[in-house]
Amino acid sequence: MVRAMETVADCEILRAHPRLTVRNNGYTYQIFREGGRSIYRVTDGTHAISEPILWAFGLGSAGQTYVFRHNGEYYQSRVSFYNDTQSLDITLGVPEDPPTSIEAALGAVIREEEERLCFGCHSTGAFSGNQIQLDRLTPGIMCEGCHGPGGKHITSVQTGKNTGGEIFNPGSLSTGDLTRFCGSCHRTWEQVQLMHLNGVRNVRFQPYRLANSRCFDPDDSRISCQACHDPHQTVRRDITFYDAKCEACHKMTSEKGVTTSEKPEVRKAPLCPTSKKNCVECHMPQYSIPGAHFKFTDHEIRIVRRGEPYPD
C-alpha cells in the first residue's frame, strides 16, 4: 500500500519506460521522459496538449494510471500503463465512445466528489477534515492512513508509557466492521450496489465479493480481510500459502462424520473431498476484465461449477 501512489521522480515504471506511445480513436498518446519529469502528450495530428505528470497511481502489478493538471483542474489520464503488455492502453472504466475534442481525449476531470476516493485512498494526509490539501500529502498509504494520527503513540513509546490505545487499531474490529473499513477504499457491498456495477467488472472489489460468500459471517474473524492478508506485508502470490487459511475454517471430519475441532463451540466445515491443497485455485477462480490485461482473484468463496456464469 505504501506504493499506491508515487511521484514521477520515484516511479520505477516511468523511469524504465522513457517513451511510451499508443494511438486510439484518431488520437496519439505519448508519455516521454524529459529530464526528471515525465510529460503526457495528446495530439490529433493538428493540435496537441502536453502536461507534466504529477503522480502515478497504482503499484503497477496490474497497471498504473497518471494524474496531471490542466487549466486548473486535475485529470486522470485516458491511457494507462499495463504490466502484462508493458505498454499503454485505454484506462479501465473509460467510456468507449470516441472523444469529441482534444480536451476530452486528455482524460477525465477528477471532480470534487471523487477527490476523496482518488487521493484519500492512494495517499496519506491529503485531507484535513473535508478540506483537500494536496500540497501536504504523502504519496502512498503510510501508517497514519489506517491508524490515524501517530504523534501520541510515538511519544508514549519514547517515554515508555505505551498502552496501545494511542492509535486506532483496525485489527480490533469485528469482521463486518473490518470489511467495511477495508472497503472504504476497496469498495464495500453497499458502494458497489450504488455504483450499479454488474457482471465481471466488480470482481476487483474484494470486500464486496467476500461479503457475497455463503460462508461470510460478520462475527467470525476467520473470514475477515486480515485473516488472509497482512496489510504490513507484500501480498503473497503463491496459492499454497492460503491453504492454511482455508483450514482455519475447514477441518477433516472423523470416521463418524463429526467435525473435529480443538474448540467444539467453534463451527468447522469439512475439507474439500476433491483436494486438500491449492484451495483458492478452484474455490476463488480468477477472472479477466475486458481491457484490464490482468486476472483478478474472485473473493466470493464458493463451489465453482464448470461452465457456470460469473455470479453477480
Side-chain angles (χ1 to χ4, degrees):
M1 294 193 296
V2 72
R3 293 178 61 194
M5 175 180 173
E6 296 177 311
T7 64
V8 171
D10 293 331
C11 182
E12 294 180 5
I13 288 175
L14 292 178
R15 291 204 309 267
H17 298 80
R19 182 169 292 272
L20 295 161
T21 303
V22 69
R23 186 168 174 79
N24 181 270
N25 280 324
Y27 293 91
T28 299
Y29 299 84
Q30 294 178 313
I31 296 177
F32 57 90
R33 203 73 173 170
E34 189 177 84
R37 306 188 304 169
S38 285
I39 308 299
Y40 177 64
R41 183 176 187 270
V42 181
T43 179
D44 60 4
T46 302
H47 305 93
I49 297 177
S50 298
E51 297 288 3
I53 293 173
L54 299 178
W55 297 288
F57 279 64
L59 172 62
S61 297
Q64 191 172 74
T65 303
Y66 305 102
V67 169
F68 58 94
R69 194 172 176 86
H70 177 68
N71 288 342
E73 295 186 290
Y74 290 102
Y75 278 73
Q76 170 186 277
S77 59
R78 185 175 175 84
V79 297
S80 296
F81 176 86
Y82 289 94
N83 185 51
D84 182 54
T85 61
Q86 292 288 295
S87 62
L88 298 177
D89 202 349
I90 296 300
T91 298
L92 190 63
V94 167
E96 296 180 0
D97 298 335
T100 56
S101 67
I102 192 168
E103 282 78 14
L106 281 174
V109 175
I110 301 174
R111 303 297 180 187
E112 183 177 350
E113 61 272 16
E114 299 170 327
E115 287 178 344
R116 182 165 292 276
L117 280 175
C118 187
F119 292 101
C121 290
H122 286 266
S123 66
T124 304
F127 290 85
S128 177
N130 291 322
Q131 186 65 40
I132 192 167
Q133 47 180 19
L134 299 187
D135 57 325
R136 298 185 180 181
L137 68 75
T138 300
I141 302 301
M142 304 300 167
C143 302
E144 292 190 357
C146 292
H147 295 286
K152 291 182 178 179
H153 172 67
I154 293 173
T155 299
S156 69
V157 172
Q158 291 175 339
T159 58
K161 299 178 180 180
N162 180 30
T163 64
E166 295 82 7
I167 57 171
F168 173 61
N169 178 16
S172 65
L173 296 173
S174 68
T175 291
D177 288 340
L178 183 61
T179 303
R180 283 185 285 274
F181 179 84
C182 297
S184 63
C185 285
H186 294 278
R187 300 296 192 276
T188 64
W189 191 93
E190 293 81 5
Q191 284 177 317
V192 174
Q193 289 294 306
L194 290 172
M195 293 164 67
H196 303 291
L197 198 59
N198 300 319
V200 73
R201 291 181 302 161
N202 61 40
V203 70
R204 61 194 180 113
F205 301 132
Q206 298 90 350
Y208 166 75
R209 298 301 295 170
L210 182 65
N212 280 344
S213 302
R214 181 180 177 182
C215 56
F216 180 76
D217 184 341
D219 295 318
D220 192 335
S221 61
R222 295 172 300 171
I223 198 168
S224 71
C225 304
Q226 195 166 287
C228 291
H229 302 294
D230 183 345
H232 304 107
Q233 302 292 330
T234 302
V235 174
R236 297 290 295 267
R237 301 294 182 185
D238 50 316
I239 62 175
T240 56
F241 169 78
Y242 297 99
D243 289 344
K245 310 295 184 180
C246 298
E247 289 180 12
C249 288
H250 295 266
K251 292 292 184 181
M252 291 294 290
T253 57
S254 68
E255 293 181 0
K256 296 182 180 180
V258 178
T259 302
T260 60
S261 172
E262 296 79 9
K263 297 181 179 179
E265 71 276 9
V266 177
R267 176 171 51 86
K268 299 276 187 177
L271 279 173
C272 175
T274 301
S275 178
K276 305 299 184 292
K277 60 181 181 179
N278 300 341
C279 308
V280 300
E281 190 171 47
C282 289
H283 298 285
M284 299 176 68
Q286 294 185 328
Y287 290 88
S288 296
I289 300 176
H293 304 289
F294 187 79
K295 286 188 175 182
F296 296 86
T297 298
D298 187 3
H299 281 60
E300 181 174 332
I301 305 167
R302 64 191 187 279
I303 297 175
V304 181
R305 311 294 183 186
R306 185 181 296 275
E308 70 177 4
Y310 176 81
D312 213 351

